[in-house]
Amino acid sequence: MFSNMLTSLLVLATVCGALASPTSAGNVYSKRHVLNCSNTVRGPIISQAYADAKVLATVASQYIATYGSSDSLYVDYFKTNDPAVVKGYFDAIANDATTQTLNCPVQSAEASCPGNNAFTRQPSGNIYFCDAFFNLADQSALCTASSLPATKSGTMVHELGHALNHRADIAGSCSASRALSVADALANTTSYSCFARQVYRNTQC
């Protein structure tokens, strides 16, 4: 039931959630951070990850609107936090229309890259993508991998959580995110990425 309702809202191309092009998917997906990348290979990859992240955020927002705090997956990641507040953070990503930038290439020798797929500079909110980002799985892997994979779109949700919602890096994995306190669960940007990827996997595949 939830999947059918959401598919019509998101204009998803297939049961596994392949996204139509940002321009054909409607205004939600044409609103965007500004791409600042002249690399003809990496630029389109960043753009697709951004569009996919908006899908993840919209899926998560609609899921929370449907099930609220009574859902076990919501409780795993966000405890007793107000669903309206968490939904608002996902809505900020889904409806992003800012002029902050998505930047490439960044050399792996850049100080913020070792150990990271991407990073967000504050207070600008501009996002920079490291070499490792381009080796992450595509959104389709959420439907095909044996366990929840790290994806480009999930990393984008993580970084947009920094850029738009000022969420923090407290726990870096999904298992660690589920073990956080109530306050830290709300503040941790990885919690939003993990929750959105799992909701997509559960409802769109």
Side-chain angles (χ1 to χ4, degrees), residues 63-64 67-83 86 90 174-186 191 195 198-199:
Y63 185 89
I64 293 170
Y67 297 111
S69 60
S70 63
D71 178 69
S72 60
L73 182 62
Y74 179 89
V75 173
D76 278 349
Y77 280 105
F78 298 113
K79 317 305 179 193
T80 58
N81 284 294
D82 184 351
V86 177
F90 283 118
C174 294
S175 59
S177 296
R178 290 193 298 270
L180 292 173
S181 68
V182 173
D184 284 348
L186 186 65
S191 300
F195 178 81
Q198 190 64 61
V199 168

Side-chain angles (χ1 to χ4, degrees), residues 73-122:
L73 182 62
Y74 179 89
V75 173
D76 278 349
Y77 280 105
F78 298 113
K79 317 305 179 193
T80 58
N81 284 294
D82 184 351
V85 174
V86 177
K87 181 180 181 299
Y89 288 133
F90 283 118
D91 288 342
I93 295 172
N95 299 315
D96 173 35
T98 65
T99 57
Q100 296 156 317
T101 56
L102 305 173
N103 299 274
C104 84
V106 175
Q107 301 300 318
S108 288
E110 211 279 350
S112 296
C113 270
N116 293 317
N117 298 313
F119 61 93
T120 300
R121 286 202 172 119
Q122 298 291 14

Side-chain angles (χ1 to χ4, degrees), residues 5-205:
M5 174 191 71
L6 198 52
T7 298
S8 64
L9 286 171
L10 297 180
V11 198
L12 293 175
T14 70
V15 69
C16 271
L19 178 65
S21 68
T23 53
S24 66
N27 289 335
V28 169
Y29 304 117
S30 63
K31 296 176 179 178
R32 56 179 300 119
H33 263 60
V34 178
L35 181 66
N36 180 32
C37 178
S38 60
N39 186 301
T40 58
V41 174
R42 292 189 167 189
I45 291 172
I46 292 171
S47 292
Q48 185 62 55
Y50 179 77
D52 288 345
K54 286 193 155 196
V55 172
L56 289 182
T58 303
V59 168
S61 173
Q62 292 295 330
Y63 185 89
I64 293 170
T66 300
Y67 297 111
S69 60
S70 63
D71 178 69
S72 60
L73 182 62
Y74 179 89
V75 173
D76 278 349
Y77 280 105
F78 298 113
K79 317 305 179 193
T80 58
N81 284 294
D82 184 351
V85 174
V86 177
K87 181 180 181 299
Y89 288 133
F90 283 118
D91 288 342
I93 295 172
N95 299 315
D96 173 35
T98 65
T99 57
Q100 296 156 317
T101 56
L102 305 173
N103 299 274
C104 84
V106 175
Q107 301 300 318
S108 288
E110 211 279 350
S112 296
C113 270
N116 293 317
N117 298 313
F119 61 93
T120 300
R121 286 202 172 119
Q122 298 291 14
S124 69
N126 296 330
I127 301 172
Y128 297 80
F129 298 92
C130 303
D131 289 342
F133 172 82
F134 301 95
N135 295 323
L136 294 173
D138 294 331
Q139 183 111 306
S140 60
L142 292 173
C143 293
T144 60
S146 59
S147 59
L148 189 69
T151 62
K152 299 179 187 75
S153 56
T155 294
M156 189 70 74
V157 168
H158 178 109
E159 296 304 328
L160 288 169
H162 290 312
L164 300 174
N165 299 324
H166 303 288
R167 301 297 86 192
D169 286 319
I170 299 173
S173 69
C174 294
S175 59
S177 296
R178 290 193 298 270
L180 292 173
S181 68
V182 173
D184 284 348
L186 186 65
N188 183 49
T189 193
T190 299
S191 300
Y192 296 83
S193 172
C194 292
F195 178 81
R197 283 180 285 139
Q198 190 64 61
V199 168
Y200 185 96
R201 183 179 176 91
N202 291 354
T203 65
Q204 302 301 303
C205 298

